[in-house]
Amino acid sequence: MSRDAALMVGFHSRQMLRNSFFVQLIVVTPVSFVAVKALVAYGLGAPLGDQVWFEAGAAGMWSLTTMSAGMIGFQRFQGTLPLLAVSPHGAARIFVPLVASTACSGLLCFPVAVLAVLVCGGQVGWSTSLLMLVSVVLFAVGCVAAALTIAVFFVLTRHAIVYEALLVIPVWMVSGIVTSLDSSPVYLRWLSVLSPLTGPVATVRALLDDADPSLVWLGLSACATVSWLLVARLGFRDALDRARSRGTLALL
């Protein structure tokens, strides 16, 4: 990432953190996730798992990621989308930091999840393995790739924001955030290959459970991330051309 792109991501992130809606998402989603897990553990008489903090943080980060694509719809609402689309800097330099900033802001969900687990009397597991850091980074990059792909539809369809919330729970299930894919139906495991988040979640869960992580899942997620980025690049260019030709960039 270039210095200019990093500065733009930082700028957009600061703007969003001044918005109570995004701050609420960063806090409420991981806290709610931990609370539900704690209630289930209490009902079963079992301790809160060491990996719950990561699951809750991942759930919160993905929830924020789905909202990040709506930033383009918000630019249309403000009337600034046509100006951004014709910028001499190019669409990628303008829209990638805009969309990626909210997904990156979702990293704040992890410390919130850690605090929620400690308040509930749980333990925060951690691994010194390099795979732990690689998995967290790959999860964040996967969220950005997914956000950019989803953003294509927010350029093509003015009412795509209506379907924004419908992306949260299905991806939680497909990626194994809610429960391990080992106990999921076979068709869900096949679908999980398409998610760039599956490998990092499975790897972190295995590391915190003192099990051997599967590098195959991590490799598949890396391939899925690259594929989503390519789809986003090609789709975004086509979406902007279609919106320009139809004259819908400025229409609500």
Side-chain angles (χ1 to χ4, degrees), residues 9-243:
V9 170
F11 169 77
H12 290 303
S13 298
R14 289 192 298 272
Q15 294 302 311
M16 283 180 289
L17 292 177
R18 294 173 182 172
N19 187 301
S20 59
F21 173 74
F22 289 105
V23 174
Q24 178 182 342
L25 280 177
I26 292 172
V27 175
V28 171
T29 304
V31 169
S32 300
F33 197 96
V34 171
V36 171
K37 286 280 190 176
L39 286 173
V40 172
Y42 178 78
L44 297 175
L48 199 59
D50 292 348
Q51 75 279 3
V52 170
W53 71 269
F54 179 80
E55 295 171 349
M61 187 172 181
W62 174 249
S63 297
L64 208 66
T65 298
T66 60
M67 299 295 142
S68 68
M71 292 298 293
I72 290 182
F74 185 61
Q75 297 300 319
R76 176 183 272 120
F77 173 77
Q78 289 185 312
T80 58
L81 186 58
L83 301 177
L84 294 175
V86 298
S87 170
H89 296 292
R93 291 185 62 184
I94 296 298
F95 290 108
V96 170
L98 175 65
V99 174
S101 58
T102 312
C104 293
S105 298
L107 290 170
L108 294 175
C109 292
F110 288 102
V112 172
V114 168
L115 290 175
V117 168
L118 293 177
V119 168
C120 292
Q123 298 292 324
V124 177
W126 184 255
S127 172
T128 56
S129 171
L130 181 62
L131 279 178
M132 185 77 176
L133 179 60
V134 171
S135 298
V136 174
V137 172
L138 187 57
F139 185 91
V141 175
C143 283
V144 173
L148 292 172
T149 306
I150 295 168
V152 172
F153 297 98
F154 283 80
V155 176
L156 280 176
T157 309
R158 288 171 288 159
H159 306 295
I161 195 169
V162 176
Y163 309 107
E164 198 175 61
L166 298 178
L167 298 171
V168 178
I169 296 180
V171 175
W172 282 0
M173 300 299 296
V174 169
S175 303
I177 293 176
V178 175
T179 183
S180 175
L181 290 172
D182 295 335
S183 58
S184 301
V186 176
Y187 72 89
L188 204 60
R189 298 181 199 175
W190 282 106
L191 286 175
S192 65
V193 177
L194 301 176
S195 172
L197 312 182
T198 305
V201 172
T203 301
V204 171
R205 182 179 279 121
L207 289 172
L208 297 183
D209 287 342
D210 294 326
D212 293 329
S214 174
L215 296 181
V216 175
W217 271 119
L218 212 57
L220 289 173
S221 291
C223 292
T225 299
V226 173
S227 300
W228 282 55
L229 286 173
L230 291 175
V231 170
R233 181 178 180 180
L234 297 175
F236 210 92
R237 185 182 304 167
D238 181 66
L240 283 175
D241 290 341
R242 287 174 180 268

